[in-house]
Amino acid sequence: MAVGDPACDLAVAWSFLEGDARSAFRAGLPLDAGTWARGRGWALWKALILATGLAQAKADDLARAEVVLSVVLADPAA
């Protein structure tokens, strides 16, 4: 389903980038709103997998998942 879809690579925008860096990343890529929405979904999915304990995760991974969840859900550009 996601083979060849660049959206799965966009999860890094919410997982590792903040504020202006995320905005610059988004501005630098010529992708439509639907692709960005799917990327946000990928970030949400990956964070939920860790947060729910479906994957064996370390405490720092769980803490990062909580941060990503809050960032994804609060992102006004989505």
Side-chain angles (χ1 to χ4, degrees), residues 7-44:
C8 63
D9 297 328
L10 300 178
V12 299
W14 294 273
S15 301
F16 299 108
L17 304 176
E18 297 178 9
D20 290 341
R22 187 178 313 120
S23 296
F25 181 72
R26 186 172 182 148
L29 295 173
L31 301 169
D32 61 25
T35 303
W36 283 101
R38 290 191 311 278
R40 185 175 181 233
W42 276 99
L44 181 62

Side-chain angles (χ1 to χ4, degrees), residues 41-57:
W42 276 99
L44 181 62
W45 172 77
K46 290 177 179 187
L48 285 171
I49 292 294
L50 289 174
T52 61
L54 293 175
Q56 290 183 344

